[in-house]
Amino acid sequence: MLGIDVLAERLSTYLGKDQVNLVRRAYYYAEQAHDGQRRRSGEPYVTHPLAVANILADMHMDHQSLMAAMLHDVIEDTGIAKEALCAQFGETVAELVDGVSKLTQMNFETKAEAQAENFQKMAMAMARDIRVILVKLADRLHNMRTLEVLSGEKRRRIAKETLEIYAPIANRLGMHNVRVEFEDLGFKAMHPMRSERIHQAVKRARGNRKELVAKIEHSLANCLAVDGIAGDVSGRQKHLYGIYKKMRGKRRAFNEIMDVYAFRIVVDKVDTCYRVLGAVHNLYKPLPGRFKDYIAIPKANGYQSLHTTLFGMHGVPIEIQIRTREMEEMANNGIAAHWLYKSNDDELPKGTHARARQWVKGVLELQQRAGNSLEFIESVKIDLFPDEVYVFTPKGKIMELPKGSTAVDFAYAVHTDVGNSCIACRINRRLAPLSEPLQSGSTVEIVSAPGARPNPAWLNFVVTGKARTHIRHALKLQRRSESVSLGERLLNKVLNGFETSLDRIPAERVQHLLAEYRLEVIEDLLEDIGLGNRMAYVVARRLQASEGEASPSSESPLAIRGTEGLVLSYAKCCTPIPGDPIVGHLSAGKGMVVHLESCRNISEVRHNPEKCIQLAWAKDVSGEFNVELRVELEHQRGLIALLASSVNAADGNIEKISMDERDGRTSVVQLVVSVHDRVHLARVIRKLRALNGVIRITRMRA
Ligand code: MN
């Protein structure tokens, strides 16, 4: 019988006929895709996915997981696209295969050991469907079982990764059996000599102890029978890697570890566990301080059992675990037990992630009932319902960030200075927008420039508190220095009218005024003026006060340079550009807004020297200024392109364009164009006029 037929027969014990046929189809697809490829052992490649599927069948995994197991190396090794799998086997299976491939591509081995835990978390976060992890664990298990055929170096690399990443993941998910197999196979590959020595020692010890073990087992079974309790007593063996870790970690001699006789008693229900405990405590004296009730207070990954140690005959210590069959199942298979257990289908929510949730919920309830620390379960929750992303720095360090974090959050997490001077980013070596949410597993590189400043727009997309606080702080500092310098210019302008200037005012007079305003330093006063909270005119008069009622002689306008920053803005209503006659309107807290002299919105305050000040454009004004143009023209084909190329020909930039047709023959186009100044604007308009069919061009202003 063929391998797939054997599997199909096993599957038919718990899957429907249609589902088994889907698994078969996936097998034949994989067989064809891997045609001609061989395992290192010489077998056809398809034997590997088949073996992986068999491992998952042991766990009674659903048909989609089994299909994904069949196809798990297809994307990676045969160049068949995810889309093709999607068309053949549906979205879910394609997603599972894709998830497994992504984990396979992750390069664990070059990174520092200290980061292993983060890698575990990252792997979990990347697998949005927990079945991805289970398929990957099965894949790794089969590779570990067939590790001998690989070269020494490759074997060690895979073994190390298994011990550091996959065994702990299995442990987190409560999958004891898988973890133990990972550890023993990994130990054997990493330290073949030590593993062999311990193996031989265990064999020898077991031989010597056979008789005593049988005796103890018999007396325990007898003791249960006397009390009329039904239960299975069995001897327990420690796994090699566990012994090795104990010897190293606790610095204990091999004999010390092996001199403990370990048994497990499995019964039908919780109640019976405690009765068994009483019975065995009657049989042998318990060792004080060694009793643990993990039924009332389960271990972090949901493990439940009673542990006690007894003084046996001749004073040999006997370790005993007492648990129910269900607890035994959970202790061995953890999260996978939910597939293994064919429970009432109506009770269990359908779907597969639901099963994983069920497991987490179950553990959570156990822990809550026990009032235990929620630390572990918090971490599993993060793993299964990831609200975190894990990304690499260019040097391979892992950063943990909340879900939705962007490169700016990343930059501030690296260092405040990196955040403040960041101007662009590369995600996986490609330039990307700073606002793009990061994905787990990406490598993020920040491009920074000395003297760069945080952009207020970042506040719209950053998610970490750290980034937000530092951006706000930097903006506040920037705003302060900009308002101080604008305030100084405003004040000096008025003082100049009085034929004096700030540095010619005696210091004590300045101090006097500061005291009166309850301000600490002159910068506070200047900032207030720059922000529009205090009128330069009034302050100037006060500083002048003792020199009599001089009135300003000539008012020279303040020059606008275009570099004033956050405290100066250009009115949206009349969009002034260099060359236009302008005035500044001061509004409290906002700083200065520049309007056209003719703007209707300020006509009421136009001559109030406390609210409006005369402005002029500096000769070397810099920047781009938007103006809105209304172009009326005869309707024609390709009209937008024509307009765009004319504006372009005059070095202008179209920021916005909209069009409505007035009647069949003429159209009205609204253009927002950015220009340097009026001369530039005139050039743009001239170009537009030269177009065929243009009837009228108007610059829009309030
Ligand atoms: Mn594989």
Side-chain angles (χ1 to χ4, degrees), residues 650-683:
D651 289 328
N653 231 338
I654 295 188
E655 303 285 333
K656 214 162 112 189
I657 193 161
S658 66
M659 180 170 81
D660 25 45
E661 201 174 314
R662 275 229 306 223
D663 47 54
R665 292 183 45 240
T666 60
S667 299
V668 174
V669 179
Q670 315 269 4
L671 287 175
V672 176
V673 181
S674 74
V675 293
H676 303 306
D677 52 23
R678 270 175 82 103
V679 179
H680 188 191
L681 176 63
R683 219 162 68 226

Side-chain angles (χ1 to χ4, degrees), residues 68-201:
M70 292 299 185
L71 302 164
H72 80 269
D73 280 329
V74 160
I75 292 183
E76 177 86 356
D77 290 350
T78 74
I80 287 174
K82 180 181 163 190
E83 290 69 32
L85 292 183
C86 189
Q88 275 288 329
F89 300 104
E91 172 113 34
T92 314
V93 173
E95 281 294 336
L96 287 173
V97 174
D98 189 50
V100 176
S101 304
K102 284 205 176 107
L103 280 180
T104 306
Q105 282 161 8
M106 257 177 93
N107 198 10
F108 292 112
E109 98 266 19
T110 55
K111 319 295 193 258
E113 220 165 297
Q115 291 200 71
E117 194 187 339
N118 273 339
F119 267 107
Q120 296 159 27
K121 288 195 199 164
M122 181 188 261
M124 305 275 252
M126 279 174 71
R128 251 168 278 147
D129 186 328
I130 190 68
R131 288 177 297 174
V132 169
I133 297 279
L134 296 179
V135 174
K136 182 68 204 169
L137 290 178
D139 172 39
R140 178 49 62 106
L141 194 55
H142 183 243
N143 284 335
M144 287 299 289
R145 284 175 183 171
T146 54
L147 205 55
E148 286 101 62
V149 293
L150 294 184
S151 71
E153 197 197 330
K154 200 166 178 204
R155 189 163 62 210
R156 286 174 60 83
R157 179 178 71 72
I158 292 178
K160 185 162 182 273
E161 189 181 281
T162 302
L163 287 177
E164 281 177 2
I165 311 292
Y166 290 103
I169 287 179
N171 188 35
R172 270 167 183 261
L173 297 177
M175 301 168 73
H176 177 79
N177 288 350
V178 173
R179 190 200 96 195
V180 163
E181 196 172 346
F182 274 154
E183 288 190 341
D184 277 349
L185 291 169
F187 179 42
K188 196 171 151 201
M190 288 293 286
H191 305 290
M193 305 278 277
R194 283 175 234 189
S195 156
E196 182 55 25
R197 224 176 299 137
I198 295 181
H199 176 67
Q200 290 304 333

